[in-house]
Amino acid sequence: MKLTRAVPRSVAIETARRAADAALERCLADLRTAVGREVGVRDSLVVFRLQRSMDALGLAGVDVVVDGRTTSLAPVGADLADWTELYGDLLESIGRWTLSPCPEGLVIGLHRGRADIVGYPGEHCDHWDGGPDLAVEHPAPDPLSTLDEAPFPDCCAGHRVHAALEALGAPAPSVRGDFDCDDPQD
């Protein structure tokens, strides 16, 4: 049986990929603008802090780190709505771009021409190793260009963000959950 298609699959896939890339670029541009209003336009680390509220996780605040100095935003009212909308848009666009759900604990390193995007589990148990569930760089680097780069901490988005959080003494943005895990107790 021969299938007839109005648009070849490869064209549809490429169109969807470009749309996902454009959506993420728009969200990152909006994040750069929002951070620029708060601390000026520079390289920065943006940490979306979570808190548990009943049965859901919600945005509790945003930490913006520039030149080793942290500005903690505790948005309320219209600012909270704007930051929550931007956070939700980032989660969705990152998920579409990576073709996997974006973890809720989000940290984004904004640099000139690129963004390090790292997602941590929204909740964790006592046995969590602290590692991210997602670590990507946007735009995606050429895989052959990284062969001669120095190892940790500069080799990839996950290591760069982890090193930045460690240098600040800042925890990952996920929260301790009230549940039992399958790992044995120490």
mmCIF file of all heavy atoms in Angstrom, residues 34-67:
data_model
loop_
_atom_site.group_PDB
_atom_site.id
_atom_site.type_symbol
_atom_site.label_atom_id
_atom_site.label_comp_id
_atom_site.label_asym_id
_atom_site.label_seq_id
_atom_site.Cartn_x
_atom_site.Cartn_y
_atom_site.Cartn_z
ATOM 1 N N ALA A 34 13.921 40.326 31.012
ATOM 2 C CA ALA A 34 13.471 40.406 32.409
ATOM 3 C C ALA A 34 14.660 40.524 33.359
ATOM 4 O O ALA A 34 14.633 41.325 34.301
ATOM 5 C CB ALA A 34 12.634 39.175 32.761
ATOM 6 N N VAL A 35 15.705 39.757 33.123
ATOM 7 C CA VAL A 35 16.905 39.827 33.963
ATOM 8 C C VAL A 35 17.570 41.182 33.783
ATOM 9 O O VAL A 35 18.018 41.791 34.756
ATOM 10 C CB VAL A 35 17.874 38.668 33.627
ATOM 11 C CG1 VAL A 35 19.244 38.894 34.241
ATOM 12 C CG2 VAL A 35 17.291 37.339 34.100
ATOM 13 N N GLY A 36 17.610 41.676 32.556
ATOM 14 C CA GLY A 36 18.210 42.981 32.282
ATOM 15 C C GLY A 36 17.525 44.106 33.028
ATOM 16 O O GLY A 36 18.178 45.043 33.493
ATOM 17 N N ARG A 37 16.203 44.011 33.189
ATOM 18 C CA ARG A 37 15.468 45.026 33.963
ATOM 19 C C ARG A 37 15.884 44.993 35.429
ATOM 20 O O ARG A 37 15.884 46.016 36.102
ATOM 21 C CB ARG A 37 13.966 44.786 33.857
ATOM 22 C CG ARG A 37 13.339 45.334 32.608
ATOM 23 C CD ARG A 37 11.818 45.358 32.718
ATOM 24 N NE ARG A 37 11.247 44.042 32.948
ATOM 25 C CZ ARG A 37 10.791 43.239 31.992
ATOM 26 N NH1 ARG A 37 10.859 43.611 30.737
ATOM 27 N NH2 ARG A 37 10.275 42.074 32.293
ATOM 28 N N GLU A 38 16.215 43.801 35.938
ATOM 29 C CA GLU A 38 16.534 43.650 37.358
ATOM 30 C C GLU A 38 17.999 43.959 37.679
ATOM 31 O O GLU A 38 18.291 44.587 38.684
ATOM 32 C CB GLU A 38 16.203 42.233 37.833
ATOM 33 C CG GLU A 38 14.741 41.865 37.718
ATOM 34 C CD GLU A 38 13.841 42.689 38.629
ATOM 35 O OE1 GLU A 38 14.310 43.188 39.665
ATOM 36 O OE2 GLU A 38 12.655 42.830 38.294
ATOM 37 N N VAL A 39 18.912 43.463 36.858
ATOM 38 C CA VAL A 39 20.335 43.575 37.214
ATOM 39 C C VAL A 39 21.209 44.110 36.095
ATOM 40 O O VAL A 39 22.424 44.159 36.221
ATOM 41 C CB VAL A 39 20.898 42.203 37.672
ATOM 42 C CG1 VAL A 39 20.228 41.740 38.930
ATOM 43 C CG2 VAL A 39 20.799 41.166 36.574
ATOM 44 N N GLY A 40 20.637 44.490 34.981
ATOM 45 C CA GLY A 40 21.433 44.934 33.840
ATOM 46 C C GLY A 40 21.736 43.747 32.928
ATOM 47 O O GLY A 40 21.654 42.605 33.330
ATOM 48 N N VAL A 41 22.105 44.080 31.712
ATOM 49 C CA VAL A 41 22.343 43.035 30.721
ATOM 50 C C VAL A 41 23.779 42.559 30.832
ATOM 51 O O VAL A 41 24.707 43.287 30.512
ATOM 52 C CB VAL A 41 22.060 43.567 29.301
ATOM 53 C CG1 VAL A 41 22.318 42.494 28.266
ATOM 54 C CG2 VAL A 41 20.629 44.067 29.201
ATOM 55 N N ARG A 42 23.943 41.347 31.352
ATOM 56 C CA ARG A 42 25.257 40.722 31.505
ATOM 57 C C ARG A 42 25.082 39.222 31.522
ATOM 58 O O ARG A 42 23.970 38.719 31.569
ATOM 59 C CB ARG A 42 25.887 41.121 32.843
ATOM 60 C CG ARG A 42 26.144 42.576 32.985
ATOM 61 C CD ARG A 42 26.780 42.833 34.327
ATOM 62 N NE ARG A 42 26.344 44.162 34.711
ATOM 63 C CZ ARG A 42 26.164 44.566 35.928
ATOM 64 N NH1 ARG A 42 26.384 43.772 36.922
ATOM 65 N NH2 ARG A 42 25.771 45.777 36.185
ATOM 66 N N ASP A 43 26.218 38.510 31.534
ATOM 67 C CA ASP A 43 26.151 37.074 31.762
ATOM 68 C C ASP A 43 25.582 36.869 33.158
ATOM 69 O O ASP A 43 25.954 37.580 34.107
ATOM 70 C CB ASP A 43 27.543 36.443 31.690
ATOM 71 C CG ASP A 43 28.055 36.339 30.260
ATOM 72 O OD1 ASP A 43 27.333 36.724 29.333
ATOM 73 O OD2 ASP A 43 29.183 35.860 30.087
ATOM 74 N N SER A 44 24.690 35.914 33.296
ATOM 75 C CA SER A 44 24.073 35.686 34.600
ATOM 76 C C SER A 44 23.613 34.247 34.731
ATOM 77 O O SER A 44 23.495 33.521 33.749
ATOM 78 C CB SER A 44 22.882 36.637 34.805
ATOM 79 O OG SER A 44 21.943 36.480 33.761
ATOM 80 N N LEU A 45 23.369 33.866 35.961
ATOM 81 C CA LEU A 45 22.813 32.559 36.284
ATOM 82 C C LEU A 45 21.439 32.824 36.889
ATOM 83 O O LEU A 45 21.318 33.610 37.832
ATOM 84 C CB LEU A 45 23.713 31.837 37.291
ATOM 85 C CG LEU A 45 23.348 30.403 37.626
ATOM 86 C CD1 LEU A 45 23.662 29.507 36.437
ATOM 87 C CD2 LEU A 45 24.145 29.923 38.836
ATOM 88 N N VAL A 46 20.404 32.203 36.326
ATOM 89 C CA VAL A 46 19.038 32.423 36.798
ATOM 90 C C VAL A 46 18.532 31.111 37.389
ATOM 91 O O VAL A 46 18.483 30.092 36.697
ATOM 92 C CB VAL A 46 18.111 32.888 35.650
ATOM 93 C CG1 VAL A 46 16.711 33.177 36.177
ATOM 94 C CG2 VAL A 46 18.692 34.108 34.947
ATOM 95 N N VAL A 47 18.167 31.155 38.673
ATOM 96 C CA VAL A 47 17.704 29.964 39.390
ATOM 97 C C VAL A 47 16.248 30.182 39.768
ATOM 98 O O VAL A 47 15.927 31.109 40.514
ATOM 99 C CB VAL A 47 18.540 29.702 40.662
ATOM 100 C CG1 VAL A 47 18.092 28.424 41.357
ATOM 101 C CG2 VAL A 47 20.032 29.651 40.337
ATOM 102 N N PHE A 48 15.380 29.332 39.233
ATOM 103 C CA PHE A 48 13.956 29.398 39.567
ATOM 104 C C PHE A 48 13.738 28.522 40.801
ATOM 105 O O PHE A 48 13.861 27.301 40.727
ATOM 106 C CB PHE A 48 13.101 28.917 38.389
ATOM 107 C CG PHE A 48 13.129 29.852 37.215
ATOM 108 C CD1 PHE A 48 14.090 29.725 36.224
ATOM 109 C CD2 PHE A 48 12.206 30.878 37.106
ATOM 110 C CE1 PHE A 48 14.125 30.593 35.139
ATOM 111 C CE2 PHE A 48 12.229 31.761 36.034
ATOM 112 C CZ PHE A 48 13.200 31.615 35.047
ATOM 113 N N ARG A 49 13.434 29.149 41.943
ATOM 114 C CA ARG A 49 13.267 28.443 43.214
ATOM 115 C C ARG A 49 11.831 27.953 43.354
ATOM 116 O O ARG A 49 10.878 28.684 43.083
ATOM 117 C CB ARG A 49 13.615 29.344 44.391
ATOM 118 C CG ARG A 49 15.060 29.744 44.430
ATOM 119 C CD ARG A 49 15.894 28.678 45.062
ATOM 120 N NE ARG A 49 17.304 28.999 44.907
ATOM 121 C CZ ARG A 49 18.233 28.096 44.845
ATOM 122 N NH1 ARG A 49 17.922 26.822 44.958
ATOM 123 N NH2 ARG A 49 19.476 28.434 44.691
ATOM 124 N N LEU A 50 11.690 26.715 43.816
ATOM 125 C CA LEU A 50 10.375 26.093 43.968
ATOM 126 C C LEU A 50 9.987 25.973 45.429
ATOM 127 O O LEU A 50 10.842 25.957 46.312
ATOM 128 C CB LEU A 50 10.399 24.693 43.349
ATOM 129 C CG LEU A 50 10.773 24.603 41.873
ATOM 130 C CD1 LEU A 50 10.869 23.149 41.445
ATOM 131 C CD2 LEU A 50 9.772 25.353 41.030
ATOM 132 N N GLN A 51 8.693 25.855 45.662
ATOM 133 C CA GLN A 51 8.181 25.519 46.992
ATOM 134 C C GLN A 51 6.949 24.654 46.817
ATOM 135 O O GLN A 51 6.275 24.711 45.792
ATOM 136 C CB GLN A 51 7.850 26.764 47.801
ATOM 137 C CG GLN A 51 6.601 27.490 47.366
ATOM 138 C CD GLN A 51 6.318 28.702 48.231
ATOM 139 O OE1 GLN A 51 7.122 29.089 49.056
ATOM 140 N NE2 GLN A 51 5.176 29.307 48.020
ATOM 141 N N ARG A 52 6.699 23.838 47.806
ATOM 142 C CA ARG A 52 5.529 22.969 47.779
ATOM 143 C C ARG A 52 4.349 23.747 48.343
ATOM 144 O O ARG A 52 4.451 24.436 49.338
ATOM 145 C CB ARG A 52 5.779 21.724 48.627
ATOM 146 C CG ARG A 52 4.539 20.861 48.749
ATOM 147 C CD ARG A 52 4.851 19.509 49.307
ATOM 148 N NE ARG A 52 5.253 18.564 48.297
ATOM 149 C CZ ARG A 52 4.507 18.154 47.293
ATOM 150 N NH1 ARG A 52 3.315 18.661 47.103
ATOM 151 N NH2 ARG A 52 4.934 17.253 46.451
ATOM 152 N N SER A 53 3.222 23.603 47.643
ATOM 153 C CA SER A 53 1.981 24.199 48.106
ATOM 154 C C SER A 53 0.897 23.151 47.906
ATOM 155 O O SER A 53 0.512 22.861 46.772
ATOM 156 C CB SER A 53 1.663 25.463 47.304
ATOM 157 O OG SER A 53 0.408 25.975 47.681
ATOM 158 N N MET A 54 0.463 22.553 48.986
ATOM 159 C CA MET A 54 -0.502 21.460 48.946
ATOM 160 C C MET A 54 0.073 20.311 48.116
ATOM 161 O O MET A 54 1.112 19.804 48.439
ATOM 162 C CB MET A 54 -1.857 21.933 48.410
ATOM 163 C CG MET A 54 -2.442 23.116 49.153
ATOM 164 S SD MET A 54 -3.013 22.702 50.796
ATOM 165 C CE MET A 54 -4.620 22.071 50.403
ATOM 166 N N ASP A 55 -0.580 19.956 47.019
ATOM 167 C CA ASP A 55 -0.116 18.836 46.200
ATOM 168 C C ASP A 55 0.671 19.265 44.963
ATOM 169 O O ASP A 55 0.898 18.458 44.069
ATOM 170 C CB ASP A 55 -1.310 17.984 45.740
ATOM 171 C CG ASP A 55 -1.928 17.215 46.893
ATOM 172 O OD1 ASP A 55 -1.214 16.986 47.892
ATOM 173 O OD2 ASP A 55 -3.102 16.853 46.793
ATOM 174 N N ALA A 56 1.082 20.508 44.905
ATOM 175 C CA ALA A 56 1.765 20.995 43.709
ATOM 176 C C ALA A 56 3.010 21.785 44.082
ATOM 177 O O ALA A 56 3.156 22.248 45.210
ATOM 178 C CB ALA A 56 0.819 21.879 42.904
ATOM 179 N N LEU A 57 3.890 21.902 43.114
ATOM 180 C CA LEU A 57 5.060 22.756 43.269
ATOM 181 C C LEU A 57 4.767 24.072 42.579
ATOM 182 O O LEU A 57 4.114 24.111 41.538
ATOM 183 C CB LEU A 57 6.288 22.107 42.627
ATOM 184 C CG LEU A 57 6.815 20.858 43.300
ATOM 185 C CD1 LEU A 57 7.941 20.255 42.467
ATOM 186 C CD2 LEU A 57 7.296 21.157 44.693
ATOM 187 N N GLY A 58 5.263 25.157 43.150
ATOM 188 C CA GLY A 58 5.058 26.460 42.548
ATOM 189 C C GLY A 58 6.322 27.290 42.624
ATOM 190 O O GLY A 58 7.248 26.979 43.377
ATOM 191 N N LEU A 59 6.359 28.338 41.862
ATOM 192 C CA LEU A 59 7.502 29.234 41.842
ATOM 193 C C LEU A 59 7.495 30.075 43.114
ATOM 194 O O LEU A 59 6.538 30.782 43.402
ATOM 195 C CB LEU A 59 7.431 30.125 40.602
ATOM 196 C CG LEU A 59 8.617 31.034 40.345
ATOM 197 C CD1 LEU A 59 9.878 30.218 40.105
ATOM 198 C CD2 LEU A 59 8.332 31.931 39.142
ATOM 199 N N ALA A 60 8.584 29.982 43.887
ATOM 200 C CA ALA A 60 8.692 30.736 45.134
ATOM 201 C C ALA A 60 9.518 32.001 44.955
ATOM 202 O O ALA A 60 9.351 32.970 45.696
ATOM 203 C CB ALA A 60 9.319 29.868 46.220
ATOM 204 N N GLY A 61 10.406 31.992 44.010
ATOM 205 C CA GLY A 61 11.267 33.139 43.786
ATOM 206 C C GLY A 61 12.264 32.846 42.694
ATOM 207 O O GLY A 61 12.351 31.728 42.184
ATOM 208 N N VAL A 62 13.017 33.865 42.348
ATOM 209 C CA VAL A 62 14.019 33.750 41.309
ATOM 210 C C VAL A 62 15.300 34.372 41.844
ATOM 211 O O VAL A 62 15.287 35.500 42.328
ATOM 212 C CB VAL A 62 13.569 34.488 40.022
ATOM 213 C CG1 VAL A 62 14.617 34.365 38.937
ATOM 214 C CG2 VAL A 62 12.217 33.972 39.542
ATOM 215 N N ASP A 63 16.391 33.605 41.778
ATOM 216 C CA ASP A 63 17.705 34.133 42.141
ATOM 217 C C ASP A 63 18.445 34.447 40.849
ATOM 218 O O ASP A 63 18.532 33.611 39.952
ATOM 219 C CB ASP A 63 18.529 33.120 42.936
ATOM 220 C CG ASP A 63 17.960 32.851 44.320
ATOM 221 O OD1 ASP A 63 17.164 33.687 44.810
ATOM 222 O OD2 ASP A 63 18.301 31.821 44.915
ATOM 223 N N VAL A 64 18.974 35.662 40.756
ATOM 224 C CA VAL A 64 19.760 36.064 39.600
ATOM 225 C C VAL A 64 21.167 36.370 40.100
ATOM 226 O O VAL A 64 21.347 37.206 40.984
ATOM 227 C CB VAL A 64 19.163 37.315 38.910
ATOM 228 C CG1 VAL A 64 20.011 37.724 37.718
ATOM 229 C CG2 VAL A 64 17.724 37.053 38.482
ATOM 230 N N VAL A 65 22.139 35.643 39.559
ATOM 231 C CA VAL A 65 23.526 35.794 39.989
ATOM 232 C C VAL A 65 24.312 36.445 38.864
ATOM 233 O O VAL A 65 24.344 35.939 37.742
ATOM 234 C CB VAL A 65 24.154 34.424 40.342
ATOM 235 C CG1 VAL A 65 25.570 34.608 40.852
ATOM 236 C CG2 VAL A 65 23.295 33.679 41.346
ATOM 237 N N VAL A 66 24.940 37.569 39.181
ATOM 238 C CA VAL A 66 25.783 38.298 38.234
ATOM 239 C C VAL A 66 27.084 38.632 38.950
ATOM 240 O O VAL A 66 27.059 39.178 40.058
ATOM 241 C CB VAL A 66 25.103 39.594 37.745
ATOM 242 C CG1 VAL A 66 26.035 40.390 36.848
ATOM 243 C CG2 VAL A 66 23.808 39.289 37.029
ATOM 244 N N ASP A 67 28.199 38.263 38.338
ATOM 245 C CA ASP A 67 29.524 38.545 38.908
ATOM 246 C C ASP A 67 29.642 38.064 40.353
ATOM 247 O O ASP A 67 30.209 38.748 41.209
ATOM 248 C CB ASP A 67 29.836 40.045 38.835
ATOM 249 C CG ASP A 67 29.908 40.558 37.404
ATOM 250 O OD1 ASP A 67 30.288 39.770 36.512
ATOM 251 O OD2 ASP A 67 29.571 41.734 37.182
#
